[in-house]
Amino acid sequence: MTEFMTEFVFPAEPEYDRYREEKGPNDFTVPPIVEELKVKARERGLWNLFLPPVSGLTNLEYAALAEISGWSTVIAPEAINCAAPDTGNMETLHLFANEQQRKQWLEPLLNGEIRSAFAMTEPAVASSDARNIETTMLRDGDHYVINGRKWWITGAADPRCKILIVMGRTNPDAASHQQQSMILVPADTPGVDIRRSLPVFGWQDQHGHCEIVFDNVRVPVENLLGEEGAGFAIAQARLGPGRIHHCMRALGAAERALALMVDRVQKRVAFGKPLAEQGVVREAIAKSRNEIDQARMLCHKAAWTIDQLGNKHKEAQVQVAQIKAVAPTVACNVIDRAIQVHGGAGVSDDFPLARLYAWHRAMRLFDGPDEVHMRTIARAELGKEKSPLAAAAIKVSSS
């Protein structure tokens, strides 16, 4: 993986950027260099590494590879067919799709022939609580009719995006966790209106983060994913692995920022000596190293727990919440320090730091904002049975 990055991915970054600049921000076609990298990655066996039943890797084994890919967040994950939202969608289809759905959509996704999107988030409600989703998917004979508005639907602007997994309300009278369902909606279905792609801190992603209106979209009932009312459970199964994969890659981005910081301070002179000899700069480097290594240990612990207990286990869910609350913040902290020592260059496009910061700051919101994950962690801590040590210590303190 390291050889693939150093020999092919990093040298491809300037070509990727030139293509995007020439095409402009409203062109969402993939730079040809990405398709070339996909061929090279597949030849080397660096393909679909995220999915244990396909790759044969554990989550813990994948963690190190995902981190390396995070050094080039924009290119590398897609080059090895391990990019969101396709990874989460492939896992979802692998777990919940029927044979026909897998053949039609999962196989071309695993082959890197098409891309996909996951339509859950809505502008009118706090979508961090999936029970708030207002999009309706009502049964009408042999079809479901979908009406609603979604936004931040990553990947939907890419012309290779052929399928949307849409979450909506099929039964408003059911229990709160059983009102939602997921349906497969081909992107070219009449009534699917991609209104715009939203930029992140002014930067337009090649795949797009889209606002989509569903206006009387009709899809056959056989497009239902799993059972009616299972949407909330499917969302939880999908988002767990996706969250930890983002965290794995965030560590790689933090390592790249730290490498750039260390190089910069050894070359720049201020007040008569290299920046590396300034105490405040050394402290920034030391803090960054500590934070990255601490986050990595937590990430690997969560990955190991998933391997041992499965991602539905309460302990695994709490640990994923922990790392999701920690890794993006660590990445932002390290990248911010790197920007600071680069001065004006740090906020320009001459270095990747501004783009890295924008993406990882957004990560503190998507797949659940920090506050939701902190709530999960606190609730688990408050609900724990006291250990013998804790009980004895509390008893002594109370007396």
Side-chain angles (χ1 to χ4, degrees):
M1 187 69 190
T2 298
E3 290 174 357
F4 178 68
M5 295 289 292
T6 56
E7 292 180 21
F8 300 107
V9 174
F10 290 144
E13 288 183 343
E15 183 175 342
Y16 180 97
D17 290 339
R18 280 194 300 271
Y19 183 91
R20 294 297 318 282
E21 289 170 6
E22 291 170 1
K23 291 293 185 178
N26 296 318
D27 186 296
F28 298 97
T29 56
V30 63
I33 189 64
V34 173
E35 297 295 346
E36 295 173 19
L37 289 171
K38 286 164 65 176
V39 173
K40 289 182 170 65
R42 198 162 188 175
E43 290 172 349
R44 287 159 176 77
L46 300 173
W47 195 255
N48 293 331
L49 304 173
F50 71 96
L51 193 58
V54 173
S55 67
L57 298 172
T58 65
N59 284 281
L60 181 56
E61 290 168 337
Y62 174 59
L65 300 170
E67 178 178 329
I68 294 170
S69 75
W71 280 69
S72 185
T73 306
V74 176
I75 299 178
E78 182 174 3
I80 60 175
N81 213 40
C82 293
D86 290 330
T87 49
N89 291 340
M90 285 187 271
E91 285 177 305
T92 300
L93 291 167
H94 178 80
L95 289 172
F96 300 103
N98 59 39
E99 285 304 315
Q100 177 57 36
Q101 292 168 344
R102 287 175 183 158
K103 184 178 173 103
Q104 186 174 5
W105 302 117
L106 179 57
E107 289 183 13
L109 282 167
L110 287 171
N111 289 330
E113 298 165 356
I114 64 171
R115 292 213 59 167
S116 61
F118 181 67
M120 185 179 82
T121 304
E122 297 182 359
V125 298
S127 303
S128 55
D129 182 352
R131 295 170 298 182
N132 289 337
I133 301 301
E134 294 181 341
T135 294
T136 59
M137 303 192 301
L138 303 179
R139 181 77 179 260
D140 181 24
D142 293 333
H143 289 78
Y144 283 98
V145 180
I146 307 172
N147 283 283
R149 183 184 296 267
K150 303 285 187 179
W151 76 337
W152 293 110
I153 309 307
T154 300
D158 193 314
R160 298 168 298 162
C161 179
K162 302 301 181 186
I163 187 67
L164 313 173
I165 299 179
V166 183
M167 185 168 178
R169 194 182 298 270
T170 48
N171 187 354
D173 298 323
S176 61
H177 286 80
Q178 297 176 332
Q179 295 179 7
Q180 309 286 344
S181 300
M182 289 195 188
I183 291 180
L184 297 168
V185 180
D188 59 358
T189 305
V192 176
D193 181 10
I194 300 177
R195 293 285 175 90
R196 58 174 176 152
S197 175
L198 297 115
V200 177
F201 289 105
W203 182 65
Q204 192 68 265
D205 185 79
Q206 182 260 303
H207 310 97
H209 303 295
C210 296
E211 181 179 1
I212 305 177
V213 172
F214 296 86
D215 184 10
N216 289 319
V217 175
R218 298 180 66 88
V219 295
V221 293
E222 54 263 30
N223 284 30
L224 186 71
L225 196 58
E227 299 178 354
E228 189 172 291
F232 188 84
I234 293 173
Q236 293 305 304
R238 181 194 184 280
L239 291 172
R243 286 169 178 147
I244 195 170
H245 294 164
H246 278 307
C247 295
M248 294 168 182
R249 290 188 290 265
L251 295 172
E255 286 284 9
R256 182 170 186 173
L258 179 54
L260 290 170
M261 189 192 326
V262 169
D263 182 69
R264 181 77 169 187
V265 302
Q266 290 175 328
K267 293 177 178 177
R268 303 289 281 194
V269 174
F271 305 105
K273 58 183 178 180
L275 287 176
E277 294 183 18
Q278 307 286 352
V280 67
V281 172
R282 291 194 170 206
E283 183 178 357
I285 292 170
K287 280 185 177 179
S288 298
R289 171 49 61 208
N290 286 345
E291 290 172 6
I292 293 171
D293 287 357
Q294 289 167 349
R296 180 181 294 111
M297 293 300 291
L298 183 57
C299 185
H300 287 190
K301 181 184 178 185
W304 180 86
T305 303
I306 292 173
D307 289 332
Q308 301 302 310
L309 304 176
N311 65 26
K312 293 183 180 180
H313 194 277
K314 182 178 179 180
E315 185 62 28
Q317 292 175 346
V318 172
Q319 289 185 21
V320 169
Q322 284 182 271
I323 189 57
K324 180 58 174 64
V326 167
T329 299
V330 166
C332 285
N333 288 344
V334 177
I335 296 165
D336 185 68
R337 294 177 194 128
I339 289 172
Q340 196 70 13
V341 301
H342 279 74
V347 295
S348 76
D349 288 340
D350 287 358
F351 290 85
L353 295 168
R355 184 186 299 180
L356 287 175
Y357 184 86
W359 175 251
H360 291 89
R361 183 60 184 84
M363 194 184 296
R364 293 185 57 196
L365 295 168
F366 64 70
D367 281 3
D370 289 356
E371 292 78 5
V372 170
H373 296 299
M374 296 295 274
R375 176 174 174 265
T376 297
I377 298 161
R379 187 168 54 193
E381 199 67 22
L382 289 167
K384 280 182 180 177
E385 184 178 347
K386 291 182 179 64
S387 69
L389 283 171
I394 291 168
K395 184 177 180 180
V396 169
S397 299
S398 300
S399 61

